[in-house]
Amino acid sequence: MSDSVVTTTDLDVRLEKHRVELTGYCYRMLGSSFEAEDAVQDTMVRAWRNYEKFEGRSSLRSWLYRIATNVCLDMLSAGNKRARPVDLSDSTPLAQAALSPRADNTWLEPMPDARVLPTVADPAEAAVAKESVRLAFMAALQQLPPKQRAVLILREVLAWRANEVAELLDTSVASVNSALQRARATLAERDDKAADAAVSDPLDEEQRKLLERYVAAFEGYDMAALTALLHEDAIMTMPPFDLWLTGHDDITGFMTTIGSACEGSRLIPVQVNGLPGFAQYKPDPDTGGFSPWAVQILEISDGGLTGFHFFLDTKRWFPLFDLPLHLEAESDEVEEGA
């Protein structure tokens, strides 16, 4: 058996080659960046400890996916579903806006593209991978029972054959096909405009210019310019708060009242959930520089912004994105800070 005699270093290298794609799989299954990385680490440990039992009847990759699937199904046994604010309540008029946080395990979490999207040569395959980690698709996945979720991801996203999925899940091809049909039907019932958001890869000239205008409007806190970029029914969310707003009047009204402390912010581009995004740094009166405030994810469609989502738990998100924890006031040079 060719896979049976390897050194510890060789095995570590072979396992690590699969970390990014396994993280992407576990992230789609769990909806949590941190739980996904924990699941992959558990998968690697189990694989390392049980490698002598690996008989080589399938590829190492398939074996790792089998372990990862079992880890994720165990983690999902409690039935927790992650969501966006728009999935849990109606939008709130600005006059009634209140910032009410919910527990961390309520929310879908952002994820850096580099941690979940392996480099692939096929542009069509890359596009499918990006679409499948966008917040709207991730929210749709959360509506599926765990095994249906696994089948849909393996068949539709990773393009596994039905017999391969059946072998991985210890079930029949008929059962896999039935689960896939039910999963597709559930997703088809969801009427989600955000799922229609289209972003070119790489960004086309119109989209690049739109983002440039957004940065200028946000950093300048120019509400008229920002309004011109927003669709009439654009939404804004701010996890861990369950409040979400719709329409440019309420969004800009919030930004100039409850959110007015964001005036003067600086934005740094990030690639997050297959979409353009920014790390937002807010002016820090104590240091004279800028401190982390949010990871923003932008949704674009038909030449405008249909949604932007502010993930505010910066103590968790900025280290995940390898972002600096301070920007200098005058030069905006990066300072690795506390």
Side-chain angles (χ1 to χ4, degrees), residues 11 15 38-53 63-64 66-72 74-75:
L11 181 56
L15 294 177
D38 288 346
V40 172
Q41 191 58 33
D42 191 0
T43 298
M44 296 298 189
V45 170
R46 292 188 191 191
W48 200 92
R49 288 177 176 171
N50 294 286
Y51 188 73
E52 290 183 357
K53 300 177 184 177
W63 185 59
L64 289 172
R66 178 190 291 270
I67 298 172
T69 299
N70 288 331
V71 170
C72 289
D74 287 344
M75 294 175 73

Side-chain angles (χ1 to χ4, degrees), residues 212-230:
E212 290 172 1
R213 291 167 62 198
Y214 171 75
V215 171
F218 194 93
E219 292 189 340
Y221 234 59
D222 184 338
M223 295 300 112
L226 185 60
T227 296
L229 303 179
L230 297 174

Side-chain angles (χ1 to χ4, degrees), residues 74-90:
D74 287 344
M75 294 175 73
L76 290 167
S77 62
N80 182 53
K81 293 182 180 180
R82 290 178 176 266
R84 306 164 298 174
V86 297
D87 302 315
L88 301 181
S89 65
D90 294 330

Side-chain angles (χ1 to χ4, degrees), residues 243-269:
L243 169 73
W244 64 281
L245 303 166
T246 184
H248 44 65
D249 288 343
D250 277 0
I251 289 173
T252 57
F254 179 90
M255 293 177 67
T256 54
T257 55
I258 299 173
S260 61
C262 289
E263 184 171 357
S265 291
R266 296 290 179 265
L267 301 180
I268 294 179

Side-chain angles (χ1 to χ4, degrees), residues 148-318:
Q148 284 186 32
R149 203 178 304 178
V151 168
L152 183 80
I153 296 166
L154 291 165
R155 292 283 284 120
E156 301 277 272
V157 178
L158 302 179
W160 285 39
R161 294 189 296 271
N163 65 308
E164 293 175 321
V165 177
E167 182 180 355
L168 183 145
L169 295 176
D170 290 323
T171 190
S172 66
V173 170
S175 177
V176 167
N177 289 336
S178 176
L180 180 59
Q181 185 176 14
R182 293 196 304 273
R184 285 171 172 168
T186 299
L187 297 193
E189 291 174 358
R190 292 178 60 88
D191 181 18
D192 196 332
K193 286 188 176 181
D196 297 329
V199 178
S200 301
D201 185 22
L203 297 176
D204 61 33
E205 183 177 0
E206 180 183 7
Q207 291 167 344
R208 288 195 301 271
K209 288 182 177 179
L210 175 64
L211 293 179
E212 290 172 1
R213 291 167 62 198
Y214 171 75
V215 171
F218 194 93
E219 292 189 340
Y221 234 59
D222 184 338
M223 295 300 112
L226 185 60
T227 296
L229 303 179
L230 297 174
H231 282 265
E232 288 187 3
D233 57 354
I235 64 172
M236 183 173 90
T237 70
M238 294 162 282
F241 301 116
D242 56 13
L243 169 73
W244 64 281
L245 303 166
T246 184
H248 44 65
D249 288 343
D250 277 0
I251 289 173
T252 57
F254 179 90
M255 293 177 67
T256 54
T257 55
I258 299 173
S260 61
C262 289
E263 184 171 357
S265 291
R266 296 290 179 265
L267 301 180
I268 294 179
V270 294
Q271 295 299 315
V272 50
N273 285 83
L275 291 166
F278 296 94
Q280 178 190 345
Y281 291 81
K282 194 172 69 169
D284 187 335
D286 295 329
T287 66
F290 299 87
S291 295
W293 183 248
V295 170
Q296 302 181 6
I297 299 179
L298 273 60
E299 293 171 332
I300 300 173
S301 183
D302 298 326
L305 298 177
T306 57
F308 51 149
H309 310 281
F310 295 73
F311 289 87
L312 302 179
D313 191 352
T314 55
K315 290 182 179 179
R316 303 177 76 206
W317 307 133
F318 275 53

Side-chain angles (χ1 to χ4, degrees), residues 117-131 157-159 201-202:
L117 299 177
T119 302
V120 294
D122 184 352
E125 185 179 341
V128 170
K130 281 197 168 187
E131 289 169 5
V157 178
L158 302 179
D201 185 22

